[in-house]
């Protein structure tokens, strides 16, 4: 990725939550395979949090365009890859618990319901501006999720044509009620950690 302001950078975002879900600090983002990747870390909460799981979601149909103003990112919620075992294995102890097929299916159902994915199926992130110099830049992006559009700032690390970073997104800011059961004894935390790794063609 070139160092020209305006043409740099990245986005981020996203979303979502579900069924039994952690509280430890976010795990370090593992090295990504070739190509663009975006993943979301969802953490369990509530007094009975130990009975649930932390989750990792991967944008299975991530699309990235590179207009002059900067990247535009989009993906469908119903194409999210829920708790792929290879990713869980890389994310450390906070994601070490086993999540079987039935649990993944439950997580997907709760996620799509909470996000009203049938009505708002897509997440879109548009780069607005890039500030700074060198290999760390401040980026402002416009995020559309759950039918709500908000602006967020985050930090991106640039190396050649690669942009990597992460941002914290509160679900409530987009009108999403974090998933809860048993009167809140088991819940999903409001804050999601979105990690991205993009490569400019």
């Amino acid at each position: 990725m070139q160092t020209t302001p305006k043409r740099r950078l990245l986005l981020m975002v996203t979303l979502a939550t579900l069924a039994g879900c952690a509280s430890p600090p976010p795990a370090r983002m593992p090295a990504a395979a070739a190509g663009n990747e975006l993943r979301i870390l969802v953490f369990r909460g509530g007094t009975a949090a130990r009975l649930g799981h932390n989750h990792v979601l991967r944008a299975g149909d991530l699309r990235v365009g590179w207009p002059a103003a900067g990247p535009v990112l989009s993906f469908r919620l119903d194409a999210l890859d829920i708790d792929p075992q290879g990713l869980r294995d890389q994310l450390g102890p906070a994601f070490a618990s086993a999540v079987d097929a039935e649990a993944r299916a439950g997580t997907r159902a709760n996620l799509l319901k909470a996000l009203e994915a049938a009505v708002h199926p897509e997440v879109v992130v548009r780069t607005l501006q890039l500030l700074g110099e060198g290999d760390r830049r401040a980026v402002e992006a416009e995020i559309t999720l759950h039918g709500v559009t908000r602006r967020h700032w985050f930090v991106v690390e640039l190396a050649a044509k690669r942009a990597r970073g992460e941002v914290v997104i509160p679900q409530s800011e987009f009108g999403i009620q974090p998933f809860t059961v048993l009167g809140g004894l088991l819940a999903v935390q409001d804050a999601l950690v979105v990690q991205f790794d993009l490569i400019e063609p």
Side-chain angles (χ1 to χ4, degrees):
M1 208 175 262
Q2 309 165 338
T3 52
T4 320
K6 270 195 166 185
R7 224 221 163 203
R8 214 54 299 137
L9 169 154
L10 202 110
L11 1 335
M12 91 6 61
V13 321
T14 140
L15 39 153
T17 109
L18 3 343
C21 310
S23 309
R28 183 174 181 78
M29 184 173 173
N36 301 316
E37 274 206 53
L38 183 145
R39 59 192 69 130
I40 303 128
L41 305 184
V42 183
F43 297 102
R44 63 191 176 187
T47 56
R50 68 185 183 285
L51 301 177
H53 303 278
N54 297 319
H55 297 285
V56 55
L57 318 175
R58 178 165 51 197
D61 71 334
L62 182 62
R63 287 151 278 144
V64 183
W66 295 87
V72 175
L73 175 72
S74 62
F75 60 92
R76 289 183 60 89
L77 297 174
D78 58 10
L80 285 169
D81 189 5
I82 309 296
D83 286 318
Q85 193 58 51
L87 261 185
R88 291 186 66 82
D89 291 344
Q90 296 178 56
L91 287 169
F95 292 83
S97 59
V99 180
D100 60 25
E102 183 178 355
R104 287 191 179 97
T107 292
R108 177 179 296 281
N110 290 325
L111 166 66
L112 297 182
K113 180 178 179 180
L115 296 176
E116 298 182 290
V119 179
H120 308 292
E122 194 165 59
V123 177
V124 178
V125 182
R126 299 180 186 278
T127 302
L128 298 178
Q129 61 176 319
L130 172 74
L131 301 177
E133 299 180 12
D135 59 3
R136 289 176 65 82
R137 305 293 183 86
V139 174
E140 184 183 25
E142 182 181 80
I143 302 165
T144 299
L145 165 66
H146 193 237
V148 177
T149 299
R150 295 282 184 264
R151 292 186 173 191
H152 269 270
W153 284 92
F154 50 97
V155 175
V156 175
E157 294 184 5
L158 304 176
K161 290 192 171 186
R162 192 169 201 169
R164 304 183 70 185
E166 63 182 16
V167 63
V168 176
I169 300 294
Q171 298 177 70
S172 56
E173 187 174 315
F174 291 86
I176 299 167
Q177 177 63 47
F179 179 81
T180 63
V181 294
L182 303 175
L185 289 177
L186 183 60
V188 168
Q189 293 185 20
D190 188 29
L192 305 172
V193 177
V194 180
Q195 303 177 325
F196 52 85
D197 189 340
L198 304 184
I199 298 176
E200 182 180 6

